[in-house]
Amino acid sequence: MSAPASKPVRSTQPRFPGLRQFFREPLGVFGLAIVVILVLGAVFAPYLTDYAPNALDIKSRLAKPSSEHWLGADHLGRDTFTRVLYGGRVALKVAAWSISLALLGGLLLGMLAGYGPRWLDNLLILVFDAVRSFPTIMFALAIITLTGPSINMVIMVIVITSIPVYARIVRTQTMALRESEFVLAARSVGTGWFRMLYLHILPNVIGPLLILASMDIPVVVTIESGLSFLGLGVRPPTASWGTVLADGYAYVRNTPWLLVAGGVPLILTTLGFTFMGEALRDVFDPTLKKRD
Amino acid sequence: MTPVLSIKNLSIDFLTPGRPVHALREVNLSVPQNRIVGIVGESGSGKSTVVSAVMRLLANNAEVRSGEIKFEDRDILAMRESELRALRGEEIAMVFQDPMTAQTPVLSIGQQMVDIQYRRSLSIKEKRQKVIDMLTRVGIPDPSDRMDQYPHQFSGGMRQRISIAMALMMNPKLLIADEPTTALDVTLEAQIIHLFRELKKSFDGSIVVVSHNLGLIAELCDEVVVMYAGEVVERAAVDDIFYRAVHPYTQALLDCDPARLDELSQTLPTIPGDVPDLQDVPEGCIFASRCDQKLQQCASNRPPAATITQAHDVRCHLVKDG
């Protein structure tokens, strides 16, 4: 074995191979585009429209879509396009907070249950099953009826009911990985439990979990809209896709665009995040990578 | 010189829903410094259990009944988890049987090998250089480029080389190879054997090779331990085992080696009978039920370990001590 003169450390791999891979999936890019538009619309809402979301204008009550009111106006004369943009803020805020908190909690508890001692696993599984036995909507209705409608309550309820879902997946994966030979091999070179979890277990479970999270965002958005529709999410004057729908459905015969304005963003959100999630899955699984 | 590793009277049970399985019974062996010791035996003879016990990586239902495992002068069985972590990798490292599952699939091999050095206070650049040196040593072409690839981008033989490189990364005093070629095909096997022989020259430490491949053992090892059904039946220098085997089991095992068949014989010799049930270990010699040179006392008296020459021990009534 003659050692060739070692060359300087250099890599032929592109700097972000995953990114390049992602942009090769047309549906993924399409999904990402939708997501980006939704996010930009929510973030820059005040600059994209001249109206305030709650400004009443009785003159343009139930106005048809026009150059003035792109998506018409509701029964109080509020500009629907503006309300949809501001509604996106609520939806994405709820989605971002609840999904990231649920992910974090699910990862921690799941890895703990999967890698920790047996009694802890049993205890956590018991808790997970107890929480999961409530249907999310029922649980949300019960809690919110008790505490009064608020966004934070919605987020909390979603986090509590989603953690067991994520945690169970993480736990199962962790248990499978824990028996795998590479974990044994890592132990045989003296890897401790903390390094084991974040270096060998975490990267192997995070991929499927992120995809699941990405696909869960529309579910969360729908729950928020649903609760707001029922008057249990945001307080009525605040714009949300749910309140846009609720305000529109009473006038559906005369002004169907109000319902469309509230429903289409929900559909787009579902499509966008699902396509993105599927493309992400391909990127996160290195064995699915196409060769260059 | 004190041996690097010495195992005395090691007995291990596996607890099963029924009765415990007495997987190892009074196993004695020692690994001298800078020597290669081979452990041979058929499947289920306890080869892997011995080396797992040395690493303290036994399955959860394993119970050490008696005995001691000493690494230099430290008792491995008495070590706390933190001491074990310091031992593993730094002083004893292991190569596993199946290279296809021995690396984390989602990290590049360079990342994994840099991480193995986490106890060293070196810059990332120095660590990467060490990885490149080690990969060069085990014969990975273009190591500076290939270290950024993922395990699935390597072939089986390459991955076994990488496993060996990972085990040698911290320069351990004892390398344990648990059936390092079993999962590989014949040509790759020859390459890995060749690699071990090369490493033998440059590696400053002892190696334990577990295998049921007698050819590999003959090529590599200085000393051989023959195990049968959880007992060491014979141990000797490699030439003594292959040319002057005393125990009937060792003789039968050697006769069954396909490589020894002459071309005309059509049937592969086998040892008649079955391995005894280790939940219910028979009295007397463990090999008695299958032995073709059985004496009367074999079924009732367990033969003691008799020393023939200085480094040749046998457990058999055919041999008288001294």
Side-chain angles (χ1 to χ4, degrees):
Chain A
M1 274 180 304
S2 56
S6 20
K7 289 179 277 179
V9 182
R10 186 180 58 84
S11 164
T12 50
Q13 296 250 315
R15 193 145 186 81
F16 297 107
L19 212 63
R20 205 211 246 174
Q21 162 83 10
F22 183 87
F23 281 105
R24 227 174 274 160
E25 309 267 338
L27 276 183
V29 175
F30 179 59
L32 182 69
I34 295 177
V35 170
V36 166
I37 289 170
L38 284 169
V39 170
L40 290 182
V43 171
F44 295 105
Y47 305 100
L48 293 172
T49 163
D50 300 331
Y51 300 96
N54 298 327
L56 307 183
D57 177 17
I58 292 303
K59 270 184 298 178
S60 45
R61 181 172 187 271
L62 295 175
K64 286 200 172 74
S66 64
S67 59
E68 236 165 281
H69 296 288
W70 290 358
L71 293 172
D74 65 10
H75 62 294
L76 297 174
R78 296 175 293 193
D79 181 56
T80 311
F81 179 66
T82 309
R83 288 183 68 75
V84 167
L85 287 183
Y86 279 89
R89 289 187 148 188
V90 174
L92 293 178
K93 180 185 156 196
V94 171
W97 274 106
S98 50
I99 294 288
S100 27
L101 288 178
L103 256 183
L104 201 70
L107 269 175
L108 282 176
L109 292 178
M111 292 202 298
L112 220 59
Y115 204 76
R118 178 66 74 83
W119 62 265
L120 188 65
D121 182 33
N122 288 339
L123 183 76
L124 285 171
I125 282 298
L126 192 74
V127 175
F128 295 162
D129 284 347
V131 173
R132 283 224 299 179
S133 61
F134 299 111
T136 308
I137 291 285
M138 286 300 154
F139 187 52
L141 288 178
I143 293 283
I144 289 163
T145 326
L146 285 176
T147 61
S150 86
I151 280 282
N152 290 343
M153 266 308 146
V154 173
I155 293 176
M156 206 192 76
V157 166
I158 293 171
V159 170
I160 289 175
T161 51
S162 317
I163 281 181
V165 181
Y166 294 125
R168 268 193 166 265
I169 291 170
V170 174
R171 167 183 172 270
T172 321
Q173 295 258 32
T174 306
M175 288 181 132
L177 290 167
R178 175 169 109 157
E179 302 303 321
S180 67
E181 200 146 275
F182 68 80
V183 166
L184 196 66
R187 282 176 70 194
S188 82
V189 291
T191 308
W193 67 270
F194 183 72
R195 293 184 82 75
M196 188 69 81
L197 283 183
Y198 93 85
L199 205 80
H200 295 276
I201 307 276
L202 184 66
N204 277 299
V205 297
I206 193 105
L209 206 66
L210 282 181
I211 293 136
L212 186 78
S214 166
M215 308 236 185
D216 256 3
I217 289 176
V219 176
V220 170
V221 170
T222 315
I223 291 176
E224 181 273 317
S225 298
L227 289 173
S228 297
F229 181 85
L230 296 171
L232 297 171
V234 295
R235 304 241 179 200
T238 315
S240 146
W241 295 339
T243 52
V244 171
L245 273 174
D247 293 338
Y249 95 111
Y251 306 93
V252 64
R253 280 175 197 279
N254 304 322
T255 60
W257 54 85
L258 288 179
L259 270 192
V260 173
V264 166
L266 282 175
I267 296 169
L268 285 180
T269 313
T270 312
L271 270 184
F273 280 102
T274 309
F275 286 154
M276 201 177 79
E278 291 197 352
L280 275 180
R281 179 197 56 204
D282 297 351
V283 172
F284 268 101
D285 189 349
T287 54
L288 282 179
K289 256 178 213 168
K290 289 165 199 144
R291 308 272 164 127
D292 288 306
Chain B
M1 254 195 316
T2 52
V4 177
L5 179 76
S6 73
I7 299 178
K8 288 209 179 76
N9 283 325
L10 182 68
S11 297
I12 291 177
D13 284 1
F14 284 111
L15 305 177
T16 63
R19 283 165 301 161
V21 174
H22 307 288
L24 290 185
R25 294 174 314 285
E26 290 168 43
V27 166
N28 288 294
L29 65 87
S30 70
V31 179
Q33 280 176 19
N34 293 318
R35 285 320 221 26
I36 303 188
V37 174
I39 303 180
V40 272
E42 59 193 282
S43 304
S45 59
K47 311 182 293 284
S48 294
T49 309
V50 172
V51 293
S52 304
V54 171
M55 292 298 281
R56 285 273 301 273
L57 289 173
L58 285 165
N60 286 334
N61 63 339
E63 192 183 76
V64 178
R65 294 290 302 281
S66 65
E68 61 170 27
I69 302 176
K70 283 213 159 156
F71 178 73
E72 293 171 330
D73 344 300
R74 286 168 290 164
D75 187 356
I76 289 181
L77 292 177
M79 281 189 180
R80 278 176 291 124
E81 191 62 30
S82 56
E83 295 173 286
L84 277 175
R85 287 222 312 269
L87 180 83
R88 293 174 185 151
E90 291 284 329
E91 307 197 69
I92 307 182
M94 189 158 173
V95 176
F96 291 86
Q97 179 173 347
D98 185 1
M100 302 313 272
T101 56
Q103 290 116 14
T104 304
V106 293
L107 298 178
S108 71
I109 60 147
Q111 278 173 285
Q112 296 184 46
M113 290 181 72
V114 164
D115 186 69
I116 293 175
Q117 310 171 56
Y118 72 93
R119 296 191 195 89
R120 298 282 187 276
S121 44
L122 298 171
S123 72
I124 281 290
K125 219 175 159 186
E126 289 168 312
K127 287 183 179 177
R128 282 180 68 93
Q129 190 53 50
K130 275 190 178 272
V131 171
I132 292 170
D133 295 344
M134 185 50 77
L135 289 176
T136 312
R137 211 169 131 196
V138 297
I140 303 283
D142 259 338
S144 52
D145 289 341
R146 299 217 69 181
M147 69 181 289
D148 291 312
Q149 294 185 339
Y150 290 88
H152 71 274
Q153 289 166 302
F154 291 86
S155 66
M158 286 290 182
R159 288 177 76 163
Q160 193 61 301
R161 286 169 189 269
I162 291 165
S163 293
I164 294 168
M166 286 181 172
L168 292 178
M169 199 70 229
M170 305 312 292
N171 219 349
K173 292 176 188 148
L174 176 64
L175 176 68
I176 297 174
D178 187 3
E179 309 203 19
T181 62
T182 307
L184 303 175
D185 64 47
V186 185
T187 43
L188 291 176
E189 184 169 1
Q191 289 179 18
I192 295 294
I193 294 174
H194 181 72
L195 173 63
F196 271 109
R197 295 182 69 162
E198 289 290 325
L199 288 173
K200 195 172 163 182
K201 294 174 199 156
S202 60
F203 174 59
D204 182 31
S206 307
I207 305 180
V208 173
V209 183
V210 175
S211 182
H212 42 235
N213 182 335
L214 293 166
L216 173 106
I217 298 285
E219 290 234 16
L220 274 181
C221 299
D222 304 312
E223 286 171 34
V224 182
V225 174
V226 181
M227 292 192 68
Y228 177 73
E231 284 181 18
V232 172
V233 293
E234 184 162 10
R235 59 175 178 159
V238 65
D239 287 348
D240 286 337
I241 289 288
F242 280 92
Y243 298 111
R244 289 176 287 279
V246 174
H247 198 285
Y249 175 67
T250 313
Q251 291 167 355
L253 189 69
L254 293 171
D255 286 340
C256 296
D257 184 3
R260 286 200 165 194
L261 283 184
D262 57 77
E263 283 180 28
L264 288 176
S265 60
Q266 296 286 313
T267 49
L268 189 64
T270 50
I271 307 176
D274 273 320
V275 181
D277 178 7
L278 293 186
Q279 288 191 336
D280 209 356
V281 180
E283 258 178 83
C285 175
I286 189 77
F287 190 56
S289 60
R290 301 170 79 184
C291 183
D292 55 0
Q293 303 167 44
K294 189 161 61 165
L295 304 174
Q296 219 163 15
Q297 74 249 47
C298 288
S300 53
N301 279 334
R302 187 153 178 265
T307 306
I308 303 175
T309 57
Q310 206 196 347
H312 194 160
D313 291 344
V314 185
R315 259 185 205 277
C316 184
H317 284 303
L318 292 171
V319 183
K320 289 283 161 274
D321 206 341

